[in-house]
Amino acid sequence: MLASENFQIHHYNRNSIYKPYDEELASMAKQLTTTADAAGLDAAQATVEYGNPSKQMLGSSSSNSNNNNSIVANGLPSFVVSHPSAEFEGFIRACVDEIIQLAVFQGTNRSSKVVEWHEPVELRKLFDFELRDQGESPDKLRHLLRETIRFSVKTGHPYFVNQLYSGVDPYALVGQWLTDALNPSVYTYEVAPVFTLMEEQVLGEMRRIVGFPNNGHGDGIFCPGGSIANGYAISCARYQYAPESKKNGLFNAKPLIIFTSEDAHYSVEKLAMFMGFGSEHVRKIATNELGKMSLSDLEEQIQLCLDNNWQPLMVSATAGTTVLGAFDDLLGISNLCQKHNMWMHVDAAWGGGALMSKKYRKLLNGIERADSVTWNPHKLLSASQQCSTFLTRHTQVLSQCHSTNAAYLFQKDKFYDTSFDTGDKHIQCGRRADVFKFWFMWKAKGTRGFEAHVEQVFEMSEYFTNKLRERPGFELVLDKPECTNITFWYVPPSLRQMERNQEFYDKLHKVAPKIKEAMIKKGSMMITYQPLRKLPNFFRLVLQNSCLDESDMLYFLNEIETLGQKL
């Protein structure tokens, strides 16, 4: 029995604030009745029962019991108004019950599959993707809901270690549901008063944790992902050092050069291309054997720019690279940025969560000297996607760089303090209230709760690494991983006696894809693999789900070994 069946269905008072809306619909019904009379229909057939998905706009509900939205006389389509009237309550509760049972609990149970895999051609046959002229029944919609869950990857499953996000945090989930229900757009205080002040509070606390001077003085915004946050860094740097670019663009200007490591996230290059710099103006700095940016190569590349009369604009350092989890030398990079008058950005989208831990924040020493920081709570801190922030020590640069003062939205003669209308400093107009889920998590757990979460996942990554060293056939790419990325090869017994020549590496390169295929089709776990420069394919296990324990670490090793030992 569904939990919703225990809830009393709510019926709102027809004399409430909805009365004018009812009267408007009644007027519409009268007009449609006139149309129906002209078409020879019975007046009783021409009633409007808005909000009830089992009734028609025109015509008898029994005239087509299998179709909620039939086409009736004169070709007038029926419709269900986009309003959650009382008749929808049972349907909404039933759907939420399905989601809670199947996605939240069953989908994250260790005994269930991470994914029920089907090839695209097969999935098209199994799932009803087609869009039709007529709407579907409530029963069909609930069936589609269940099927969507069934065929989707359960990214909250403990054995989903495939990406830099995982888990289902209950507080973040509730927070995301609330903001979806309220459907706000956070650009002016008048339409999002709570979320506007909430953003100010959360971003201020994050800047304090980063260590910006004067108790976190500066500015910040929530962004639609870390890629866009990195784009904001490029935009702010350009304005800071070439303010005329806001009006003139990059035409007839000295070339502006961006520096980042060869292991940095691809978004730095992608956003530079998007913003008109061109990929040739993004210089990829070599990394050392640990994946850290080479300071000597960086300095050489900066000098090369100066010799060519180009302007070194910014360095985008990385705190937790995507593959190896490496942390660049932020203090050394800061010194070079200061020496050459450059903007320093730190992409801590992945590793920023370590700032919450007194034990592990040392990995980011020097971040407090940055001009800007990207930090994604939806990664290491396990907030629901998406939850990404851009933080800067400069109080005005976001507004000065991006504002256009649209008079229809950011009027200066409002009845309240319009400094709280923050939307003009964003490149977006409409913007989700991503802050609430993170704020709600923070209120529930406290900073110490986040610290315990971070230390748990680091502890498990260290345990996994130690156990991996003890297992025959497993070899680490990095002997001492810095973050919770553990990169490794599994060498099947058939290859262990081979000479380590090109033939061996060609065969090893095929092992990880075959094991990945087997685990996906089995549904037992999901872990990613990739090559890196001259290295053959290796696995990358990433941990940010603090429900994982030592038995799970052993499960990962056992499952990979079971699937790969006969290759």
PDB file of all heavy atoms in Angstrom, residues 174-202:
ATOM      1  N   VAL A 174      15.741  16.857   0.016  1.00  0.00           N
ATOM      2  CA  VAL A 174      14.573  17.631   0.467  1.00  0.00           C
ATOM      3  C   VAL A 174      14.710  19.077   0.025  1.00  0.00           C
ATOM      4  O   VAL A 174      13.743  19.700  -0.431  1.00  0.00           O
ATOM      5  CB  VAL A 174      14.425  17.530   2.000  1.00  0.00           C
ATOM      6  CG1 VAL A 174      13.369  18.506   2.502  1.00  0.00           C
ATOM      7  CG2 VAL A 174      14.064  16.098   2.401  1.00  0.00           C
ATOM      8  N   GLY A 175      15.915  19.629   0.152  1.00  0.00           N
ATOM      9  CA  GLY A 175      16.135  21.005  -0.264  1.00  0.00           C
ATOM     10  C   GLY A 175      15.868  21.209  -1.737  1.00  0.00           C
ATOM     11  O   GLY A 175      15.251  22.212  -2.136  1.00  0.00           O
ATOM     12  N   GLN A 176      16.304  20.267  -2.563  1.00  0.00           N
ATOM     13  CA  GLN A 176      16.082  20.394  -3.999  1.00  0.00           C
ATOM     14  C   GLN A 176      14.599  20.264  -4.328  1.00  0.00           C
ATOM     15  O   GLN A 176      14.077  20.974  -5.199  1.00  0.00           O
ATOM     16  CB  GLN A 176      16.891  19.344  -4.746  1.00  0.00           C
ATOM     17  CG  GLN A 176      16.817  19.461  -6.250  1.00  0.00           C
ATOM     18  CD  GLN A 176      18.184  19.375  -6.902  1.00  0.00           C
ATOM     19  OE1 GLN A 176      19.065  20.185  -6.666  1.00  0.00           O
ATOM     20  NE2 GLN A 176      18.380  18.376  -7.731  1.00  0.00           N
ATOM     21  N   TRP A 177      13.908  19.378  -3.655  1.00  0.00           N
ATOM     22  CA  TRP A 177      12.463  19.246  -3.888  1.00  0.00           C
ATOM     23  C   TRP A 177      11.733  20.537  -3.526  1.00  0.00           C
ATOM     24  O   TRP A 177      10.801  20.944  -4.225  1.00  0.00           O
ATOM     25  CB  TRP A 177      11.907  18.069  -3.080  1.00  0.00           C
ATOM     26  CG  TRP A 177      12.206  16.734  -3.691  1.00  0.00           C
ATOM     27  CD1 TRP A 177      12.788  16.499  -4.894  1.00  0.00           C
ATOM     28  CD2 TRP A 177      11.923  15.452  -3.135  1.00  0.00           C
ATOM     29  NE1 TRP A 177      12.901  15.153  -5.123  1.00  0.00           N
ATOM     30  CE2 TRP A 177      12.378  14.477  -4.066  1.00  0.00           C
ATOM     31  CE3 TRP A 177      11.344  15.019  -1.953  1.00  0.00           C
ATOM     32  CZ2 TRP A 177      12.250  13.104  -3.837  1.00  0.00           C
ATOM     33  CZ3 TRP A 177      11.228  13.644  -1.728  1.00  0.00           C
ATOM     34  CH2 TRP A 177      11.664  12.712  -2.653  1.00  0.00           C
ATOM     35  N   LEU A 178      12.139  21.159  -2.429  1.00  0.00           N
ATOM     36  CA  LEU A 178      11.466  22.397  -2.033  1.00  0.00           C
ATOM     37  C   LEU A 178      11.662  23.489  -3.077  1.00  0.00           C
ATOM     38  O   LEU A 178      10.698  24.169  -3.465  1.00  0.00           O
ATOM     39  CB  LEU A 178      11.987  22.883  -0.677  1.00  0.00           C
ATOM     40  CG  LEU A 178      11.443  24.250  -0.244  1.00  0.00           C
ATOM     41  CD1 LEU A 178       9.938  24.197  -0.033  1.00  0.00           C
ATOM     42  CD2 LEU A 178      12.134  24.756   1.004  1.00  0.00           C
ATOM     43  N   THR A 179      12.892  23.675  -3.541  1.00  0.00           N
ATOM     44  CA  THR A 179      13.120  24.749  -4.509  1.00  0.00           C
ATOM     45  C   THR A 179      12.422  24.461  -5.830  1.00  0.00           C
ATOM     46  O   THR A 179      11.964  25.386  -6.507  1.00  0.00           O
ATOM     47  CB  THR A 179      14.623  24.987  -4.735  1.00  0.00           C
ATOM     48  OG1 THR A 179      15.268  23.747  -5.047  1.00  0.00           O
ATOM     49  CG2 THR A 179      15.263  25.586  -3.500  1.00  0.00           C
ATOM     50  N   ASP A 180      12.299  23.181  -6.191  1.00  0.00           N
ATOM     51  CA  ASP A 180      11.539  22.854  -7.392  1.00  0.00           C
ATOM     52  C   ASP A 180      10.056  23.176  -7.197  1.00  0.00           C
ATOM     53  O   ASP A 180       9.374  23.611  -8.133  1.00  0.00           O
ATOM     54  CB  ASP A 180      11.710  21.383  -7.754  1.00  0.00           C
ATOM     55  CG  ASP A 180      13.015  21.110  -8.483  1.00  0.00           C
ATOM     56  OD1 ASP A 180      13.717  22.069  -8.836  1.00  0.00           O
ATOM     57  OD2 ASP A 180      13.344  19.928  -8.696  1.00  0.00           O
ATOM     58  N   ALA A 181       9.563  22.965  -5.986  1.00  0.00           N
ATOM     59  CA  ALA A 181       8.157  23.269  -5.710  1.00  0.00           C
ATOM     60  C   ALA A 181       7.901  24.773  -5.733  1.00  0.00           C
ATOM     61  O   ALA A 181       6.884  25.238  -6.254  1.00  0.00           O
ATOM     62  CB  ALA A 181       7.749  22.689  -4.355  1.00  0.00           C
ATOM     63  N   LEU A 182       8.824  25.549  -5.162  1.00  0.00           N
ATOM     64  CA  LEU A 182       8.672  27.009  -5.151  1.00  0.00           C
ATOM     65  C   LEU A 182       9.026  27.635  -6.500  1.00  0.00           C
ATOM     66  O   LEU A 182       8.528  28.711  -6.834  1.00  0.00           O
ATOM     67  CB  LEU A 182       9.554  27.613  -4.057  1.00  0.00           C
ATOM     68  CG  LEU A 182       9.141  27.315  -2.614  1.00  0.00           C
ATOM     69  CD1 LEU A 182      10.176  27.858  -1.638  1.00  0.00           C
ATOM     70  CD2 LEU A 182       7.761  27.903  -2.310  1.00  0.00           C
ATOM     71  N   ASN A 183       9.913  26.977  -7.247  1.00  0.00           N
ATOM     72  CA  ASN A 183      10.304  27.407  -8.584  1.00  0.00           C
ATOM     73  C   ASN A 183      10.748  28.871  -8.630  1.00  0.00           C
ATOM     74  O   ASN A 183      10.267  29.647  -9.457  1.00  0.00           O
ATOM     75  CB  ASN A 183       9.140  27.182  -9.568  1.00  0.00           C
ATOM     76  CG  ASN A 183       9.601  27.252 -11.012  1.00  0.00           C
ATOM     77  OD1 ASN A 183      10.745  26.929 -11.320  1.00  0.00           O
ATOM     78  ND2 ASN A 183       8.726  27.691 -11.893  1.00  0.00           N
ATOM     79  N   PRO A 184      11.671  29.282  -7.766  1.00  0.00           N
ATOM     80  CA  PRO A 184      12.110  30.681  -7.784  1.00  0.00           C
ATOM     81  C   PRO A 184      13.159  30.929  -8.853  1.00  0.00           C
ATOM     82  O   PRO A 184      13.760  29.994  -9.395  1.00  0.00           O
ATOM     83  CB  PRO A 184      12.726  30.849  -6.396  1.00  0.00           C
ATOM     84  CG  PRO A 184      13.311  29.510  -6.116  1.00  0.00           C
ATOM     85  CD  PRO A 184      12.378  28.502  -6.743  1.00  0.00           C
ATOM     86  N   SER A 185      13.386  32.190  -9.144  1.00  0.00           N
ATOM     87  CA  SER A 185      14.505  32.613  -9.969  1.00  0.00           C
ATOM     88  C   SER A 185      15.234  33.689  -9.174  1.00  0.00           C
ATOM     89  O   SER A 185      14.653  34.713  -8.826  1.00  0.00           O
ATOM     90  CB  SER A 185      14.027  33.172 -11.311  1.00  0.00           C
ATOM     91  OG  SER A 185      15.122  33.406 -12.166  1.00  0.00           O
ATOM     92  N   VAL A 186      16.493  33.433  -8.885  1.00  0.00           N
ATOM     93  CA  VAL A 186      17.210  34.281  -7.943  1.00  0.00           C
ATOM     94  C   VAL A 186      17.931  35.392  -8.695  1.00  0.00           C
ATOM     95  O   VAL A 186      19.120  35.284  -9.010  1.00  0.00           O
ATOM     96  CB  VAL A 186      18.199  33.464  -7.085  1.00  0.00           C
ATOM     97  CG1 VAL A 186      18.766  34.315  -5.953  1.00  0.00           C
ATOM     98  CG2 VAL A 186      17.517  32.234  -6.516  1.00  0.00           C
ATOM     99  N   TYR A 187      17.181  36.435  -9.025  1.00  0.00           N
ATOM    100  CA  TYR A 187      17.843  37.599  -9.611  1.00  0.00           C
ATOM    101  C   TYR A 187      17.469  38.902  -8.927  1.00  0.00           C
ATOM    102  O   TYR A 187      18.234  39.857  -8.982  1.00  0.00           O
ATOM    103  CB  TYR A 187      17.633  37.721 -11.126  1.00  0.00           C
ATOM    104  CG  TYR A 187      16.271  37.375 -11.673  1.00  0.00           C
ATOM    105  CD1 TYR A 187      15.106  37.908 -11.149  1.00  0.00           C
ATOM    106  CD2 TYR A 187      16.163  36.510 -12.760  1.00  0.00           C
ATOM    107  CE1 TYR A 187      13.870  37.598 -11.677  1.00  0.00           C
ATOM    108  CE2 TYR A 187      14.930  36.194 -13.304  1.00  0.00           C
ATOM    109  CZ  TYR A 187      13.781  36.742 -12.761  1.00  0.00           C
ATOM    110  OH  TYR A 187      12.553  36.427 -13.284  1.00  0.00           O
ATOM    111  N   THR A 188      16.312  38.950  -8.295  1.00  0.00           N
ATOM    112  CA  THR A 188      15.975  40.154  -7.519  1.00  0.00           C
ATOM    113  C   THR A 188      15.462  39.740  -6.142  1.00  0.00           C
ATOM    114  O   THR A 188      14.892  38.660  -5.975  1.00  0.00           O
ATOM    115  CB  THR A 188      14.885  41.005  -8.212  1.00  0.00           C
ATOM    116  OG1 THR A 188      13.680  40.250  -8.302  1.00  0.00           O
ATOM    117  CG2 THR A 188      15.339  41.462  -9.593  1.00  0.00           C
ATOM    118  N   TYR A 189      15.648  40.625  -5.188  1.00  0.00           N
ATOM    119  CA  TYR A 189      15.205  40.357  -3.821  1.00  0.00           C
ATOM    120  C   TYR A 189      13.691  40.213  -3.767  1.00  0.00           C
ATOM    121  O   TYR A 189      13.168  39.384  -3.010  1.00  0.00           O
ATOM    122  CB  TYR A 189      15.652  41.497  -2.899  1.00  0.00           C
ATOM    123  CG  TYR A 189      15.210  41.325  -1.468  1.00  0.00           C
ATOM    124  CD1 TYR A 189      15.931  40.513  -0.596  1.00  0.00           C
ATOM    125  CD2 TYR A 189      14.060  41.951  -0.987  1.00  0.00           C
ATOM    126  CE1 TYR A 189      15.518  40.325   0.718  1.00  0.00           C
ATOM    127  CE2 TYR A 189      13.638  41.777   0.320  1.00  0.00           C
ATOM    128  CZ  TYR A 189      14.374  40.968   1.170  1.00  0.00           C
ATOM    129  OH  TYR A 189      13.956  40.789   2.459  1.00  0.00           O
ATOM    130  N   GLU A 190      12.962  40.949  -4.574  1.00  0.00           N
ATOM    131  CA  GLU A 190      11.501  40.934  -4.481  1.00  0.00           C
ATOM    132  C   GLU A 190      10.913  39.578  -4.846  1.00  0.00           C
ATOM    133  O   GLU A 190       9.873  39.190  -4.309  1.00  0.00           O
ATOM    134  CB  GLU A 190      10.885  42.033  -5.351  1.00  0.00           C
ATOM    135  CG  GLU A 190      11.124  41.887  -6.836  1.00  0.00           C
ATOM    136  CD  GLU A 190      10.479  43.023  -7.615  1.00  0.00           C
ATOM    137  OE1 GLU A 190       9.269  43.234  -7.440  1.00  0.00           O
ATOM    138  OE2 GLU A 190      11.195  43.707  -8.363  1.00  0.00           O
ATOM    139  N   VAL A 191      11.553  38.822  -5.726  1.00  0.00           N
ATOM    140  CA  VAL A 191      11.009  37.515  -6.102  1.00  0.00           C
ATOM    141  C   VAL A 191      11.697  36.360  -5.378  1.00  0.00           C
ATOM    142  O   VAL A 191      11.217  35.227  -5.433  1.00  0.00           O
ATOM    143  CB  VAL A 191      11.094  37.280  -7.628  1.00  0.00           C
ATOM    144  CG1 VAL A 191      10.239  38.289  -8.369  1.00  0.00           C
ATOM    145  CG2 VAL A 191      12.523  37.306  -8.118  1.00  0.00           C
ATOM    146  N   ALA A 192      12.826  36.625  -4.702  1.00  0.00           N
ATOM    147  CA  ALA A 192      13.537  35.562  -3.990  1.00  0.00           C
ATOM    148  C   ALA A 192      14.186  36.110  -2.731  1.00  0.00           C
ATOM    149  O   ALA A 192      15.409  36.025  -2.565  1.00  0.00           O
ATOM    150  CB  ALA A 192      14.571  34.925  -4.898  1.00  0.00           C
ATOM    151  N   PRO A 193      13.389  36.662  -1.804  1.00  0.00           N
ATOM    152  CA  PRO A 193      14.000  37.315  -0.633  1.00  0.00           C
ATOM    153  C   PRO A 193      14.806  36.367   0.247  1.00  0.00           C
ATOM    154  O   PRO A 193      15.925  36.690   0.649  1.00  0.00           O
ATOM    155  CB  PRO A 193      12.793  37.896   0.111  1.00  0.00           C
ATOM    156  CG  PRO A 193      11.613  37.104  -0.361  1.00  0.00           C
ATOM    157  CD  PRO A 193      11.914  36.739  -1.773  1.00  0.00           C
ATOM    158  N   VAL A 194      14.252  35.191   0.554  1.00  0.00           N
ATOM    159  CA  VAL A 194      14.956  34.250   1.428  1.00  0.00           C
ATOM    160  C   VAL A 194      16.232  33.746   0.760  1.00  0.00           C
ATOM    161  O   VAL A 194      17.311  33.726   1.367  1.00  0.00           O
ATOM    162  CB  VAL A 194      14.044  33.062   1.790  1.00  0.00           C
ATOM    163  CG1 VAL A 194      14.822  31.996   2.566  1.00  0.00           C
ATOM    164  CG2 VAL A 194      12.855  33.540   2.614  1.00  0.00           C
ATOM    165  N   PHE A 195      16.136  33.384  -0.505  1.00  0.00           N
ATOM    166  CA  PHE A 195      17.286  32.793  -1.185  1.00  0.00           C
ATOM    167  C   PHE A 195      18.375  33.833  -1.469  1.00  0.00           C
ATOM    168  O   PHE A 195      19.557  33.494  -1.513  1.00  0.00           O
ATOM    169  CB  PHE A 195      16.838  32.100  -2.469  1.00  0.00           C
ATOM    170  CG  PHE A 195      15.837  31.007  -2.219  1.00  0.00           C
ATOM    171  CD1 PHE A 195      14.590  31.021  -2.836  1.00  0.00           C
ATOM    172  CD2 PHE A 195      16.125  29.966  -1.350  1.00  0.00           C
ATOM    173  CE1 PHE A 195      13.663  30.029  -2.595  1.00  0.00           C
ATOM    174  CE2 PHE A 195      15.205  28.959  -1.103  1.00  0.00           C
ATOM    175  CZ  PHE A 195      13.977  28.988  -1.725  1.00  0.00           C
ATOM    176  N   THR A 196      17.980  35.077  -1.657  1.00  0.00           N
ATOM    177  CA  THR A 196      18.978  36.136  -1.856  1.00  0.00           C
ATOM    178  C   THR A 196      19.852  36.288  -0.615  1.00  0.00           C
ATOM    179  O   THR A 196      21.089  36.321  -0.702  1.00  0.00           O
ATOM    180  CB  THR A 196      18.283  37.467  -2.181  1.00  0.00           C
ATOM    181  OG1 THR A 196      17.559  37.343  -3.410  1.00  0.00           O
ATOM    182  CG2 THR A 196      19.291  38.596  -2.307  1.00  0.00           C
ATOM    183  N   LEU A 197      19.216  36.382   0.537  1.00  0.00           N
ATOM    184  CA  LEU A 197      19.979  36.520   1.786  1.00  0.00           C
ATOM    185  C   LEU A 197      20.727  35.235   2.123  1.00  0.00           C
ATOM    186  O   LEU A 197      21.831  35.265   2.683  1.00  0.00           O
ATOM    187  CB  LEU A 197      19.040  36.890   2.932  1.00  0.00           C
ATOM    188  CG  LEU A 197      18.305  38.231   2.797  1.00  0.00           C
ATOM    189  CD1 LEU A 197      17.455  38.491   4.042  1.00  0.00           C
ATOM    190  CD2 LEU A 197      19.271  39.379   2.569  1.00  0.00           C
ATOM    191  N   MET A 198      20.147  34.108   1.759  1.00  0.00           N
ATOM    192  CA  MET A 198      20.792  32.821   2.019  1.00  0.00           C
ATOM    193  C   MET A 198      22.082  32.695   1.213  1.00  0.00           C
ATOM    194  O   MET A 198      23.109  32.221   1.711  1.00  0.00           O
ATOM    195  CB  MET A 198      19.815  31.695   1.659  1.00  0.00           C
ATOM    196  CG  MET A 198      20.180  30.329   2.194  1.00  0.00           C
ATOM    197  SD  MET A 198      18.857  29.157   1.780  1.00  0.00           S
ATOM    198  CE  MET A 198      17.617  29.625   2.982  1.00  0.00           C
ATOM    199  N   GLU A 199      22.041  33.120  -0.053  1.00  0.00           N
ATOM    200  CA  GLU A 199      23.250  33.102  -0.872  1.00  0.00           C
ATOM    201  C   GLU A 199      24.337  33.969  -0.260  1.00  0.00           C
ATOM    202  O   GLU A 199      25.509  33.567  -0.196  1.00  0.00           O
ATOM    203  CB  GLU A 199      22.941  33.586  -2.298  1.00  0.00           C
ATOM    204  CG  GLU A 199      22.263  32.574  -3.168  1.00  0.00           C
ATOM    205  CD  GLU A 199      22.256  32.970  -4.635  1.00  0.00           C
ATOM    206  OE1 GLU A 199      22.482  34.167  -4.937  1.00  0.00           O
ATOM    207  OE2 GLU A 199      22.036  32.093  -5.474  1.00  0.00           O
ATOM    208  N   GLU A 200      23.967  35.141   0.183  1.00  0.00           N
ATOM    209  CA  GLU A 200      24.937  36.049   0.793  1.00  0.00           C
ATOM    210  C   GLU A 200      25.611  35.389   1.996  1.00  0.00           C
ATOM    211  O   GLU A 200      26.834  35.472   2.173  1.00  0.00           O
ATOM    212  CB  GLU A 200      24.236  37.342   1.213  1.00  0.00           C
ATOM    213  CG  GLU A 200      25.154  38.404   1.783  1.00  0.00           C
ATOM    214  CD  GLU A 200      24.378  39.639   2.212  1.00  0.00           C
ATOM    215  OE1 GLU A 200      23.709  39.590   3.266  1.00  0.00           O
ATOM    216  OE2 GLU A 200      24.420  40.642   1.486  1.00  0.00           O
ATOM    217  N   GLN A 201      24.818  34.707   2.816  1.00  0.00           N
ATOM    218  CA  GLN A 201      25.350  34.064   4.013  1.00  0.00           C
ATOM    219  C   GLN A 201      26.278  32.895   3.657  1.00  0.00           C
ATOM    220  O   GLN A 201      27.397  32.787   4.198  1.00  0.00           O
ATOM    221  CB  GLN A 201      24.195  33.547   4.877  1.00  0.00           C
ATOM    222  CG  GLN A 201      24.622  32.911   6.184  1.00  0.00           C
ATOM    223  CD  GLN A 201      25.168  33.929   7.175  1.00  0.00           C
ATOM    224  OE1 GLN A 201      24.720  35.073   7.198  1.00  0.00           O
ATOM    225  NE2 GLN A 201      26.148  33.535   7.978  1.00  0.00           N
ATOM    226  N   VAL A 202      25.840  32.020   2.766  1.00  0.00           N
ATOM    227  CA  VAL A 202      26.622  30.840   2.420  1.00  0.00           C
ATOM    228  C   VAL A 202      27.910  31.222   1.699  1.00  0.00           C
ATOM    229  O   VAL A 202      28.999  30.718   2.022  1.00  0.00           O
ATOM    230  CB  VAL A 202      25.783  29.872   1.556  1.00  0.00           C
ATOM    231  CG1 VAL A 202      26.650  28.757   0.978  1.00  0.00           C
ATOM    232  CG2 VAL A 202      24.644  29.281   2.380  1.00  0.00           C
TER     233      VAL A 202
END
